[in-house]
Amino acid sequence: MIERILNALKEQQIGEYLLLDVQKEIVELFFIKKNLDMRRAENVRTCQVTVYRDFEKDGQPCKGESAFVVEPSATKEEISEKCRRAYLAAGFVANPHYELYAGTHEEVVTMESSLARMSAEEAAGAMTKALFAADEQKKSFLNSAELFVEKKNVHIRNSRGVDVGYVKYHVSGELVAQCREPQDVETFENFSYDDLNTDALTDLVRQTLKMTEDRAAAQAAPVTGTYDVVLSDEYAATIFDFYRARGGGDSIYQHYSDYKVGDFVQGKPEEVTGELLCLDYEPTVPFSDDGVPMKALPCISKGVFQNIQANVRYAHYLNVPATGWYRKLSCAPGTADFEEMKKQPGLYIVNFSDFQMNEWSGHFGGEIRLAYFNDGETIRPVTGGSINGSIFDAQKSFVFSKETQDISKFCGPKAVLLKNVSVAGRTAE
């Protein structure tokens, strides 16, 4: 397929291009309760082709681009026609000029993980065992679950000598827990790991079953007011998405982000009473989609912004090194004990219908499905209501747990305490 694409590009006299050839081998398991309902294996290959065209507009040099996907069944004529149309379309995309990344041929990198040391069937078996290890509760149970084990082989080539590739393994899925008494409720959770994290999956199921039971017995939301809020696991990780996006070259170039290297990003230093941010960009693949080698890179150190992450295009515009786009952050843990954090007056929220962190406005919020409300004397499960806050206010008084988590998009504190968050609940009686 690659040779057919290269021949078509040459035939259409297209001199600049980028090929992203991806082959996925996936084992999929679907469960109804503890019974395997369906097993499916897939082998999918596609190649995304991006063509580039240099031209001038209003006296300024431009580089247009257009992309299309080729499947193995595509004929020579179909590929050639796609190339022709894409090159024509690229002439209408007036991006300021930049150069593609110049590289060399390198050996394919097989990413190290416990998943890489076993077959997909063995990995699926181990994760299945972990999935149901905690499904032994009397009131709650797993209603259904889906499990996916993926091997991805990526090959990247461009017209400036890049010829690199890597093999990555990944496991993901979703589950639905149910409790029928005193009311019938369900809780949806998903998971995503780059390693054989069997203990983490078992803990997730155990926590989900527990929260489903508690939600079935939960009382009305707390009275509307301002409370300290504890977020854990994926919700805590989502908070840090703000800083990954703000450090992106695209955000900075387009003025969505005002981050500048050397700036203190947590407000005024004298107003910060909580944890100072210490974040790193963590590579989840050895090469970016442009073929740039990726490595760990400081993002924020003691509240000070260190490095812009950018693909080749935006790196050229900002005159910084190309790093590729990072999908994961790591954060230094704090010193607070997670169990003690949960016992402080306020809300410990364990499940939202949807939790959002707006990377541009800094607003975060979501509707509460289950939280534990501590009024200073008792702790009770509550449901309903919502939270709304601003990261610009919250980041001045962050409290991080010393306990940590490691999931596909984040490695760092298991929990974050946000102070004085607005909670919309019920009116006072």
Side-chain angles (χ1 to χ4, degrees):
M1 180 170 70
I2 296 298
E3 288 304 317
R4 277 180 284 155
I5 294 172
L6 293 174
N7 289 337
L9 290 167
K10 183 177 180 180
E11 179 185 288
Q12 294 296 325
Q13 299 182 344
I14 298 172
E16 288 193 295
Y17 58 83
L18 172 68
L19 308 183
L20 186 63
D21 184 17
V22 180
Q23 185 168 347
K24 294 181 181 180
E25 299 174 27
I26 311 172
V27 172
E28 304 175 348
L29 303 178
F30 302 85
F31 298 91
I32 301 297
K33 296 184 179 178
K34 293 184 179 182
N35 299 316
L36 179 62
D37 182 61
M38 181 170 62
R39 182 188 185 280
R40 186 166 61 196
E42 291 188 84
N43 195 323
V44 180
R45 184 183 183 188
T46 58
C47 184
Q48 178 175 292
V49 182
T50 305
V51 300
Y52 302 89
R53 184 171 183 173
D54 292 338
F55 59 95
E56 287 192 0
K57 183 176 182 180
D58 300 328
Q60 298 298 316
C62 298
K63 183 182 287 293
E65 64 179 76
S66 181
F68 58 91
V69 173
V70 176
E71 297 180 347
S73 59
T75 65
K76 173 185 175 181
E77 292 74 20
E78 289 171 337
I79 297 172
S80 183
E81 179 63 12
K82 285 188 175 185
C83 289
R84 185 189 69 80
R85 291 184 178 182
Y87 192 67
L88 177 65
F92 296 95
V93 182
N95 293 324
H97 187 268
Y98 62 97
E99 295 291 341
L100 300 187
Y101 182 71
T104 59
H105 171 75
E106 295 188 33
E107 294 298 321
V108 173
V109 176
T110 298
M111 299 186 67
E112 177 63 26
S113 76
S114 55
L115 288 169
R117 296 191 290 270
M118 59 179 63
S119 68
E121 287 74 13
E122 289 173 328
M127 293 304 283
T128 297
K129 184 177 179 180
L131 179 67
F132 293 105
D135 189 13
E136 299 174 346
Q137 308 303 310
K138 294 181 179 180
K139 295 182 179 179
S140 58
F141 57 93
L142 290 183
N143 176 290
S144 60
E146 299 177 6
L147 178 65
F148 310 100
V149 178
E150 175 187 280
K151 174 185 177 182
K152 183 163 70 172
N153 195 320
V154 178
H155 186 194
I156 305 165
R157 294 181 62 170
N158 78 3
S159 50
R160 297 198 65 196
V162 169
D163 187 357
V164 297
Y166 61 89
V167 179
K168 179 179 179 177
Y169 294 80
H170 182 72
V171 60
S172 62
E174 57 189 48
L175 58 93
V176 177
Q178 184 176 359
C179 181
R180 292 178 174 151
E181 298 292 340
Q183 58 179 321
D184 196 348
V185 299
E186 292 182 342
T187 302
F188 171 86
E189 286 286 351
N190 54 39
F191 53 91
S192 178
Y193 307 113
D194 290 334
D195 220 322
L196 195 70
N197 287 359
T198 53
D199 290 343
L201 180 56
T202 299
D203 287 343
L204 175 66
V205 173
R206 184 179 293 110
Q207 294 170 16
T208 304
L209 293 171
K210 173 68 164 57
M211 78 169 68
T212 306
E213 290 184 17
D214 288 348
R215 186 180 167 215
Q219 303 174 28
V223 173
T224 296
T226 301
Y227 303 96
D228 289 352
V229 169
V230 175
L231 302 178
S232 65
D233 301 309
E234 186 175 356
Y235 300 128
T238 299
I239 290 291
F240 295 96
D241 285 342
F242 174 80
Y243 300 102
R244 183 173 54 83
R246 285 272 165 159
D250 52 348
S251 303
I252 294 171
Y253 178 75
Q254 298 175 72
H255 303 292
Y256 293 120
S257 169
D258 59 359
Y259 277 16
K260 296 181 179 65
V261 173
D263 282 358
F264 188 81
V265 299
Q266 287 182 256
K268 297 179 180 180
E270 63 272 17
E271 295 179 352
V272 177
T273 60
E275 305 272 6
L276 290 176
L277 286 167
C278 293
L279 302 172
D280 289 334
Y281 302 112
E282 291 290 341
T284 54
V285 292
F287 303 100
S288 76
D289 288 351
D290 289 318
V292 178
M294 298 187 71
K295 59 183 180 180
L297 188 69
C299 174
I300 298 172
S301 178
K302 294 183 179 179
V304 178
F305 184 53
Q306 300 293 316
N307 287 287
I308 297 171
Q309 59 150 327
N311 64 1
V312 170
R313 175 184 164 197
Y314 286 104
H316 180 88
Y317 295 164
L318 296 170
N319 194 29
V320 298
T323 65
W325 296 125
Y326 289 83
R327 298 179 177 87
K328 183 174 184 177
L329 280 181
S330 66
C331 178
T335 57
D337 183 83
F338 181 39
E339 292 302 319
E340 292 302 317
M341 292 171 71
K342 292 190 292 184
K343 293 176 182 178
Q344 296 183 33
L347 279 174
Y348 167 42
I349 305 175
V350 296
N351 193 229
F352 289 93
S353 59
D354 186 27
F355 181 69
Q356 299 284 338
M357 175 72 251
N358 190 300
E359 297 159 351
W360 316 126
S361 70
H363 173 264
F364 60 84
E367 296 182 359
I368 301 169
R369 282 189 172 176
L370 177 66
Y372 297 95
F373 178 57
N374 184 342
D375 61 8
E377 296 181 357
T378 60
I379 299 176
R380 58 185 176 88
V382 296
T383 186
S386 63
I387 68 167
N388 290 279
S390 170
I391 196 69
F392 298 110
D393 297 327
Q395 66 181 357
K396 298 175 184 178
S397 55
F398 278 144
V399 176
F400 299 154
S401 70
K402 62 183 179 183
E403 294 84 358
T404 60
Q405 60 173 317
D406 190 355
I407 56 178
S408 291
K409 72 173 185 177
F410 181 71
C411 177
K414 180 178 178 63
V416 178
L417 188 150
L418 310 174
K419 295 186 177 181
N420 300 318
V421 177
S422 176
V423 177
R426 58 185 174 86
T427 57
E429 296 177 356

